[in-house]
Amino acid sequence: MSEINSKSPVWDKIVATYRAGLSSMEEFKRMELHFPQFLSYDLDGSVFRIGVAEELQKEWFSQLYVKPLEAAIKTAGLGDGISVVFEIVENKEMHAPGNAANIAKEDKVESQRKTQTKDPSPQRSRALPSTLPLHETYTFANFVRGPSNSFAYAAAIAVAKGLGRTAYNPLFIWGSTGLGKTHLMEAIGHHVMDNNPDCSVCYITSETFLNEYTNAMANATLPKFRARYRKYDLLLLDDVQFLVGKKQFQEEFFNTFNQLMIFNKQVVMTCDVAPKELGLEERLISRFQQGMVVEIESPSYETRIAILKSKMQGRNRIIPNEILSFIAENIRSHVRAIEGALSRIVTFMDVNPEMPLNLEIAQHLLKDMIEDEATIKKITPETVIQAVADHYGVSVKDIIGPGRPQSLITPRQMAMFLSCKLTTDSLPNIGKVFDRKHTTVYYGSQQIQKRLSVEADLKQDVQQIAGKLGRNISDALE
Ligand code: ADP
Ligand code: MG
């Protein structure tokens, strides 16, 4: 085991065992980014030493990997009670003459360096610890513009070109899932990395950010956590809706955020709702709104066609126009679904190269996706009442029945409110379903609307029920 190096089967086995225990894509991506930064491996008695170049890496990787790697070594059957230690591999030690182990180490370091320089993705060599890798394809060049996203696109370009010097700071991009928020945010990152070699960029999801904060608290390393984030020139923080309800962390985030602003560092955030609907502390929301808030909406038919065509570029497959139109007509909710539909068609073509693709086959292949779309679109007062009843643990009969116990007021009014917001039915029609006058429905709906501005729990109810019906909270609250 003392022969371990990045190519040895033993290290491979440890990595494979570690990888098999990962439970999220994020952990996987992080490993892909971090493990190539390990410079050497040495088993010294019952201590397994991993060499890294800098103090920050040592500290960071120790927090992240010591325990999991120890567990992996044990699970892989390579030894019980072996402890993992990260240490800085010093240059003078590596250059000490006549020491075979050091020469071997040096070779490893060199080959490691070579692999790193060969790596085509720019983020590997430039990344500071704690930043997640950017998707290579999420660039401005690959982003299709249309009326639904042109404003967000223009703001993103301005931020990428004028880093920290525009009035768009922070830039807050919001919209439903799968509409290109992450893509646009990472495009800013790519542009800055390609054009400003001295800028340090951090892309991170709010969930990871929160986890790191919690770890830093637990390990009493908050000052280091703070110092690390405050030195980035560009902080890309994805999915800030994760901050909701985390009071203590909001305070920390507010401070980090202010520091970055003071030094003209650029912050970009994405979120699935508008800032005012986030349910965060007021001062944070107003701070967000001092920059630029842009929305990405669902793409129009023309944009959906353009996206399909752009996703086909570079693949040597030709999909007949009538099939592209069929996809664009039927899959409307979000771009991720459009990509999913396209990749199903492409896979079919790959697997059945002899069979000419026609509309009938495409209809068959996408049947379930189209049905899903239909349920997303078709929300009726009846489906709303059912979802509300399920949420509050009452029956549909309770909601539409004549009884007026106190306990039914909120579920009934909530069903009225959501029926008004989420369906296209007229008030009189909704009234019929509730077996009540349309003025009663209107009154009930207004009651919920009023309470929403003061009752956070109620807002959460709206969010959850709307979510179950496949709708974003913003659809219901606008
Ligand atoms: P979000 O972060 O809003 O949930 P993503 O940015 O992850 O959405 O986008 C989902 C997928 O759709 C990604 O593969 C992305 O490349 C693609 N996509 C979204 N909008 C566009 C667009 N305007 N042009 C090209 N691809 C897009
Ligand atoms: Mg996203």
Side-chain angles (χ1 to χ4, degrees), residues 14-218:
I14 298 173
V15 173
T17 314
Y18 171 81
R19 190 190 284 118
L22 296 181
S23 55
S24 74
M25 197 55 200
E26 218 160 64
E27 284 176 295
F28 185 75
K29 281 193 210 166
R30 191 165 60 190
M31 165 191 160
E32 297 262 278
L33 181 69
H34 288 165
F35 280 28
Q37 297 175 32
F38 299 174
L39 300 178
S40 60
Y41 316 84
D42 236 344
L43 184 69
D44 184 3
S46 63
V47 182
F48 181 44
R49 298 179 192 282
I50 301 179
V52 290
E54 295 166 13
E55 182 60 38
L56 206 57
Q57 289 176 318
K58 179 181 148 186
E59 184 198 316
W60 184 237
F61 294 159
S62 303
Q63 274 184 38
L64 288 174
Y65 301 118
V66 163
K67 290 217 167 70
L69 283 178
E70 284 173 356
I73 290 173
K74 195 171 163 191
T75 312
L78 297 170
D80 212 342
I82 292 186
S83 46
V84 171
V85 172
F86 282 87
E87 60 177 12
I88 295 173
V89 190
E90 289 190 17
N91 283 345
K92 67 174 183 334
E93 186 196 332
M94 291 193 299
H95 290 285
N99 177 336
N102 284 337
I103 291 166
K105 221 182 242 175
E106 201 169 13
D107 278 353
K108 261 177 269 168
V109 172
E110 194 47 42
S111 78
Q112 192 74 47
R113 283 216 183 101
K114 278 192 191 135
T115 8
Q116 284 185 357
T117 12
K118 258 193 273 163
D119 194 320
S121 66
Q123 77 273 14
R124 288 269 166 112
S125 48
R126 299 260 321 280
L128 292 163
S130 85
T131 178
L132 298 171
L134 303 179
H135 297 81
E136 274 187 30
T137 55
Y138 285 11
T139 58
F140 283 125
N142 290 335
F143 191 82
V144 175
R145 268 176 292 166
S148 56
N149 60 35
S150 58
F151 193 44
Y153 177 86
I157 290 273
V159 161
K161 291 196 170 153
L163 202 65
R165 296 188 312 274
T166 66
Y168 303 167
N169 201 9
L171 174 63
F172 190 102
I173 306 172
W174 73 278
S176 288
T177 179
L179 292 182
K181 301 182 295 294
T182 300
H183 185 139
L184 207 47
M185 166 182 257
E186 291 195 14
I188 299 175
H190 280 297
H191 184 94
V192 169
M193 281 174 157
D194 292 346
N195 295 284
N196 310 50
D198 298 331
C199 281
S200 56
V201 177
C202 175
Y203 165 73
I204 194 160
T205 67
S206 302
E207 200 182 5
T208 306
F209 193 44
L210 183 66
N211 288 341
E212 288 176 7
Y213 170 68
T214 319
N215 283 343
M217 290 250 289

Side-chain angles (χ1 to χ4, degrees), residues 424-440:
T424 47
D425 289 39
S426 65
L427 267 182
N429 272 346
I430 297 174
K432 274 185 209 147
V433 179
F434 281 85
D435 205 13
R436 280 166 171 83
K437 284 192 224 148
H438 75 275
T439 46
T440 311

